[in-house]
Each structure stands twice: as structure tokens, then as C-alpha cells.
Amino acid sequence: MLNREEAKQKLDEILDLQKARVERMRGQKDFVDYTTLDHLIIGVCGGDGIGPMITKASEDVLRFLLRDEVAAGKITFREIDGLTIDNRITAGKAIPDDVLEELKKCHVVLKGPTTTPDAAYKGPNIESANVAMRRELDLFANVRPVKVPEQGIDWTFFRENTEGSYAVGSLGFEAEDGISVDFTITTTEGARRIAQLAFDFAKKNGKEKVAVVTKANVIKQTDGKFLRVCQEVAKEYPGIACESWYADIMTAKLVDEKRRRDFQVMVLPNLYGDIITDEAAEFQGGVGTAGSMNLGKRYAMFEAIHGSAPRMVTEGRDKYADPGSMLRASVLLLRHIEKKQQADKLERALDICMFEEKRLVITGRDNGATTAEFGEYVMETVSKL
């Protein structure tokens, strides 16, 4: 519990950290052009729970698709151990120093789900590995596509990744008289760069509008700034409409069969993006079917959008875990490194295996295919395309 003076000191520390981060943002260069690299390094982190199983299946598929580049020495896969909850607790850090050093040697990372202790956990206050990785590698954009053609759904979400309620989520405190305090951070620089990415995507992909999702009518400083900056950026894209939506009504309108067809690109602060993209994933079959990419100007990380499912491990069912979300993330990884042909093949194979042919079905139990079997099924299908 902090007294009033200690609370003021805590706020000063947080502001100093954010000021330093803003200066780093201002000094950043452009995005990496992967076509200019002689050698690309793909890091692979299994994570916790079912993470190692679904990550291994996805890595196998990627190695299969990129086998010519690997054989030619143009692409290297690097296994990075240590991003497990046990190792992180032992180190007392969200990402142990040696693991972070290895991550920074890679260009892109395929990462399995990681476990984050909740408030009921009695051990060390370990921050989310995802939050820490996004901050340390400055992966400011979480991009999640959702497509259900038969329902007219073709959405791309741009969730700000390094600010909002999650940016300093582990730095809150208990003050006097039972008052608990957390913080939400929005910076002009941070809002501008996610807005520019969203509008640039819309322009390059023939989209006509971008929806900015906030609660700026109630949370006037942070959400208000996010909305204002997005509206300023929109002026640089005269052919694209900028719509303002509140987070609560957006969740309702995504369920509206007529209205949801109108949405194309959405840009959101961190917390709303986390919640709404999970809702959106349900339309195409659940969080197990959706992947996501976390983009920065130097690094990129690709992951499933679901958790580590420790119960499946406890019950001995981890070998039956659905790798669909990680495989969808692998499609995004291939596109990001300019391997469009391989990405298109994998995406088509996944549509066949998951929705059309369905010769093997993942159930999460022994009455369905194993993770490894499904990976083999996908590679077999790719070979026929």
C-alpha cells in the first residue's frame, strides 16, 4: 500500500518512462524491407501449455513451404527456449534477459501462447510476456484479419499494442483507504503511427472506410486523443471515410447481420482491440481459427490469439490441440516476409482442411486428430495445390 507521497512518486516514474518511449518513437526509421535481406532469421518460441505442440506443427509447415530458401541458406529457423512460465518466474522477469537477447537477433518470431499469473497468484508479480515483448521490440500494431465470405465479413483490425490500459498494467498500486489505481496511456506519436498503418492498409487494399473505435465520449483524455489523432491522419487520405464508433455499440453491431457487412478496417486502442477481435474471431469459428501479427518497424511477431490452455496439458490432451490459429498466423508471417505464393497456398490449404474437405477434424480430444496429424494433413494438401 502506498501513501500519497509514494503514489505521486510512482506517477512521476511512469511519466518519465513514457517520455523516454516517445523520444524513441520519434527517432525510429522506416519498416524493414525484407526483399533486401540476404539472410532472414525466423525465431520460434513454443511458450506454455499447448504452445509447444501447436508451434511445432506450424514450424513444420513453414519449413516445408520454405524448404528451398532454407536449403539455399537464405532463411534460418532459430529455436528459442526459455519463454516458459517456470523460467520467467525463476528469472523474476516477463522475458528473461538471455531470451530477449536471442529474440533481438531474429527478424520475425513465431510465438506460442504464454501463461500470465493472475491477481490470485501468490508468487512474484510477473508481467505478461506478450505485453513485455511488444514493448521491448516495439511491436506497436496488432493486426488481425477475420473473413467469412458467405456472411459478407471481411474485417481487418488494427489494435494499438504498446499503449492503453495494458502499457503499464503491472505498475498500478493500492493506495490509502482501499483505493486501487491503474493507468491508461495514450501518446500523440503512438496514436498517429497506428492510425497511419490502418489508413495506409485501407488505401493499398482498396478499402473505402476506417472505423475508429473508442469510448471518447466518456474517457475524454486518452480515448479522446486517440480519436482526434486518427481524424487528423484521415485528412491525409481523402478517398477514405473516417467513422467514429464507441466500443460498446461496435460489439453490438458486429452481431447485426445487416450492419456488420459495412465494416472494413477498424483501428482501436489496446483493451478494446483485445476484446473486440476475440468476438470477431467467433464468426469464423472461434479464437482457435484466427491468427495475428504484431508489427514494429524493426521486428515482427506472429501468434495464435488464444491462451495456453493449461487444463488440456493437465488432462493429457495437449497432443490434440488445434493448431489452426498458429497456422493462420503462419500465413500472415509468410505474407509479411514477401512470400506471397507460399502464403496463398497455405491459406487455401487451411480453408480446405478446416472448412471444406475436413478429412481430419480437431476436437481437442482423442476422438479427433492429433496436432501433428493435422499438420501433416495441411502439408499433404499444400502439395496438391
Side-chain angles (χ1 to χ4, degrees):
M1 180 183 297
L2 303 184
N3 61 37
R4 189 173 293 265
E5 289 305 314
E6 290 170 332
K8 290 178 181 178
Q9 182 179 349
K10 185 79 169 179
L11 178 59
D12 284 342
E13 292 171 359
I14 290 172
L15 289 175
D16 287 342
L17 284 171
Q18 294 305 308
K19 287 176 67 176
R21 194 175 67 83
V22 168
E23 288 303 314
R24 290 195 297 273
M25 281 192 278
R26 289 173 177 166
Q28 285 180 333
K29 300 178 181 179
D30 290 333
F31 284 90
V32 171
D33 182 355
Y34 292 96
T35 62
T36 66
L37 298 179
D38 294 327
H39 182 216
L40 176 75
I41 300 174
I42 301 175
V44 181
C45 294
D48 297 308
I50 63 172
M53 298 296 295
I54 63 175
T55 305
K56 176 64 167 61
S58 300
E59 180 185 356
D60 288 346
V61 172
L62 283 172
R63 284 181 178 273
F64 176 73
L65 284 160
L66 298 171
R67 58 193 180 278
D68 293 341
E69 289 87 344
V70 171
K74 294 181 178 180
I75 293 179
T76 298
F77 284 83
R78 179 172 294 173
E79 310 296 329
I80 302 176
D81 298 321
L83 202 65
T84 63
I85 185 61
D86 291 340
N87 195 43
R88 287 153 49 216
I89 288 175
T90 298
K93 292 187 174 183
I95 304 177
D97 293 340
D98 59 333
V99 177
L100 182 59
E101 184 178 344
E102 289 300 309
L103 289 169
K104 288 183 176 180
K105 294 177 183 177
C106 303
H107 296 97
V108 298
V109 176
L110 182 70
K111 176 193 158 294
T114 49
T115 298
T116 304
D118 61 22
Y121 177 68
K122 301 301 181 184
N125 179 20
I126 302 295
E127 183 184 29
S128 160
N130 268 13
V131 171
M133 190 180 297
R134 290 163 181 165
R135 181 180 64 246
E136 294 293 338
L137 304 183
D138 199 26
L139 306 175
F140 66 87
N142 183 269
V143 186
R144 297 183 178 182
V146 173
K147 291 184 180 180
V148 189
E150 62 270 21
Q151 296 185 33
I153 292 174
D154 185 1
W155 303 326
T156 304
F157 296 87
F158 286 79
R159 166 191 170 192
E160 203 295 318
N161 233 1
T162 57
E163 301 192 349
S165 305
Y166 291 6
V168 286
S170 63
L171 299 181
F173 57 82
E174 179 85 4
E176 301 165 345
D177 297 322
I179 301 172
S180 293
V181 179
D182 273 312
F183 299 94
T184 295
I185 300 292
T186 299
T187 68
T188 302
E189 297 291 337
R192 179 178 292 120
R193 64 183 184 176
I194 189 69
Q196 288 173 332
L197 202 63
F199 278 92
D200 194 52
F201 172 87
K203 180 179 179 180
K204 290 178 178 177
N205 290 274
K207 306 299 183 182
E208 300 174 348
K209 48 192 170 183
V210 173
V212 184
V213 184
T214 67
K215 279 295 291 182
N217 57 329
V218 176
I219 306 174
K220 298 185 183 295
Q221 287 299 318
T222 51
D223 280 24
K225 168 168 285 200
F226 191 92
L227 175 58
R228 289 192 300 273
V229 171
C230 287
Q231 290 171 334
E232 290 169 6
V233 169
K235 295 175 184 177
E236 303 169 18
Y237 298 84
I240 301 171
C242 179
E243 302 178 342
S244 172
W245 283 84
Y246 297 138
D248 45 359
I249 194 62
M250 172 61 76
T251 61
K253 289 304 176 185
L254 291 186
V255 182
D256 184 332
E257 293 186 9
K258 294 181 180 179
R259 191 68 181 89
R260 68 187 181 207
R261 295 170 180 264
D262 295 336
F263 297 117
Q264 298 177 343
V265 179
M266 284 158 270
V267 58
L268 319 85
N270 211 333
L271 176 60
Y272 310 137
D274 191 8
I275 295 168
I276 290 177
T277 53
D278 276 10
E279 179 199 20
E282 287 297 310
F283 290 101
Q284 67 175 25
V287 294
T289 67
S292 71
M293 53 183 169
N294 299 266
L295 304 183
K297 293 188 174 181
R298 168 65 179 82
Y299 301 101
M301 182 264 282
F302 301 80
E303 62 179 343
I305 73 170
H306 56 71
S308 58
R311 183 178 298 174
M312 289 189 71
V313 179
T314 302
E315 296 174 356
R317 296 189 292 113
D318 51 326
K319 68 178 181 179
Y320 299 105
D322 188 346
S325 188
M326 284 295 285
L327 288 166
R328 292 288 180 184
S330 299
V331 173
L332 301 175
L333 188 155
L334 289 167
R335 287 225 168 88
H336 185 68
I337 63 173
E338 307 292 343
K339 301 298 179 184
K340 183 180 184 301
Q341 183 180 7
Q342 292 95 323
D344 290 345
K345 280 190 173 183
L346 178 54
E347 184 172 43
R348 180 65 191 129
L350 289 172
D351 286 344
I352 292 170
C353 295
M354 297 172 73
F355 305 124
E356 298 173 20
E357 183 180 274
K358 296 198 290 187
R359 180 163 54 81
L360 290 181
V361 178
I362 290 280
T363 66
R365 299 183 181 277
D366 60 8
N367 61 350
T370 67
T371 311
E373 287 170 344
F374 192 82
E376 292 287 342
Y377 176 32
V378 171
M379 286 186 278
E380 177 187 325
T381 306
V382 166
S383 298
K384 297 176 182 178
L385 297 176

